[in-house]
Amino acid sequence: MSMIFFACVVRVRDGLPLSASTDFHLNQDFLECRKRLKALSSILARYPSRGTAKGCNLSIHFLSSGDIACMAICSSSYSTIMAFCFLEELRWEFAASYNTRSINSASRPYAFIEFDNTIQKVKHHFNSSRGSRAKAGWERVEEELKLQPPVQLQLEATELLNGLSNGEHAGGHVEVVPTYRMQPVTPLGILSLVLNIMCGALNLIRGVHLAEYSFQEDHEGIGNVIAFFIPFLACVFQCYLYLFYSSARKVKTFLLLFCVCSCNIYLYGLRNLWQISFHIGVASLSSYQILTRQLLEKQPDCGV
């Protein structure tokens, strides 16, 4: 039977359970799934905001937002879209009932156990509804899941992720497929890419020509060759950082800008002030474009 069996709200930073539905199922598969949900809840901070851990009969879905995450155990045949509609509804209800300060100050498990009444009411609504009200946000959530699919995990591997395999090194495989969508490329961003490619090409051409001369005639010019090749590589990486998401983007961006500026200043004499200013200006423009192009903000989901 397709249904939601269990739901809970946890604190993202440490997996502390804040509230949960009081469902008692003696089925062995369900009890094992509860153990894996507990293991997964303590490492939610490692993952994007949506995720699914699928098993043969049961699946875990989670939705993180700010300090909290809502998690649910559903039958594997239960609609993923409807499961995330359910979690979104729980998130809104919990956020309306408790503020960030009370969530952060909670020190014991199930500090908000009274929220169980709301969980049960919403769960019952989603399990029993057949009308349009339960599916009011279906299309919106379906579109968002297409644009930003939930990270996929194997249910059998969630204990291994948390190091809870009791010393046994099981051969589980975890498939993680995070998807990051960047904001659309702007005309100024395209201009910065073109200029960056041009500067990179100029650095490469000058570096190759100088390398041919240095290796044949003047070995003291090796430093200048390196000073041309480093900005070439920096230009390539700046293009990559602008087009694709990468962790620690700000640090990498400033490091690349520093390399371009330092190398061009070192090349004073082989380049005049106008040329140096042009290369540094292009690198600065590219850095600005990288830092201002962020991940897409998520649209509000469904309200059932």
Side-chain angles (χ1 to χ4, degrees):
M1 182 179 180
S2 297
M3 63 181 299
I4 302 166
F5 291 103
F6 173 81
C8 65
V9 181
V10 303
R11 192 163 61 192
V12 172
R13 74 168 188 261
D14 54 8
L16 179 73
L18 301 174
S19 188
S21 57
T22 50
D23 298 275
F24 299 99
H25 299 279
L26 299 179
N27 180 279
Q28 188 61 33
D29 287 344
F30 177 79
L31 296 177
E32 287 296 322
C33 198
R34 282 284 303 267
K35 291 180 182 178
R36 291 186 167 92
L37 180 144
K38 182 179 180 181
L40 182 59
S41 68
S42 64
I43 54 171
L44 287 177
R46 301 182 189 178
Y47 296 110
S49 59
R50 283 194 181 96
T52 295
K54 284 196 172 290
C56 294
N57 300 316
L58 298 173
S59 296
I60 298 173
H61 303 279
F62 64 84
L63 172 67
S64 302
S65 178
D67 298 313
I68 65 168
C70 297
M71 307 182 73
I73 297 176
C74 308
S75 54
S76 293
S77 58
Y78 192 77
S79 165
T80 300
I81 299 172
M82 192 62 74
F84 281 107
C85 284
F86 166 72
L87 293 175
E88 182 67 21
E89 177 73 6
L90 273 192
R91 182 181 73 85
W92 280 108
E93 292 286 350
F94 193 86
S97 303
Y98 307 100
N99 57 36
T100 301
R101 183 176 179 180
S102 61
I103 293 170
N104 288 332
S105 61
S107 58
R108 58 183 175 84
Y110 304 107
F112 310 114
I113 191 61
E114 67 277 2
F115 187 71
D116 166 57
N117 293 329
T118 303
I119 296 177
Q120 295 288 13
K121 181 168 45 175
V122 177
K123 182 164 71 71
H124 175 74
H125 169 68
F126 273 83
N127 281 338
S128 61
S129 292
R130 296 291 183 268
S132 59
R133 184 176 173 231
K135 299 184 180 180
W138 179 285
E139 292 183 359
R140 184 183 298 176
V141 173
E142 183 179 30
E143 182 64 25
E144 181 154 340
L145 291 179
K146 287 180 181 178
L147 293 175
Q148 194 169 9
V151 62
Q152 299 293 321
L153 304 174
Q154 285 186 0
L155 184 58
E156 292 76 11
T158 52
E159 282 190 352
L160 183 63
L161 281 172
N162 199 31
L164 297 179
S165 54
N166 298 321
E168 296 177 5
H169 298 281
H173 170 68
V174 182
E175 179 186 0
V176 181
V177 192
T179 302
Y180 300 99
R181 292 181 61 84
M182 305 290 291
Q183 292 176 348
V185 174
T186 63
L188 190 59
I190 295 174
L191 175 63
S192 73
L193 285 174
V194 172
L195 293 175
N196 226 339
I197 293 171
M198 184 175 69
C199 288
L202 290 173
N203 286 319
L204 180 62
I205 293 170
R206 289 289 302 274
V208 170
H209 288 169
L210 190 60
E212 292 176 352
Y213 172 79
S214 298
F215 289 131
Q216 293 176 6
E217 303 288 341
D218 179 19
H219 293 280
E220 295 180 356
I222 299 298
N224 292 330
V225 174
I226 295 174
F228 276 114
F229 282 145
I230 289 178
F232 161 70
L233 294 174
C235 289
V236 173
F237 282 114
Q238 279 189 323
C239 292
Y240 175 85
L241 286 178
Y242 179 72
L243 293 173
F244 304 102
Y245 176 80
S246 174
S247 59
R249 293 174 76 226
K250 183 178 292 187
V251 174
K252 294 175 183 177
T253 299
F254 283 115
L255 180 61
L256 293 174
L257 179 61
F258 175 77
C259 289
V260 172
C261 294
S262 300
C263 290
N264 275 279
I265 292 172
Y266 179 83
L267 291 171
Y268 180 68
L270 293 177
R271 279 180 172 160
N272 58 41
L273 287 176
W274 287 107
Q275 292 172 323
I276 293 174
S277 299
F278 174 75
H279 282 269
I280 293 178
V282 170
S284 301
L285 174 63
S286 296
S287 299
Y288 175 76
Q289 291 299 307
I290 293 169
L291 296 175
T292 55
R293 188 179 185 224
Q294 302 295 329
L295 290 171
L296 276 174
E297 294 286 342
K298 284 195 281 291
Q299 300 292 329
D301 289 332
C302 67
V304 265

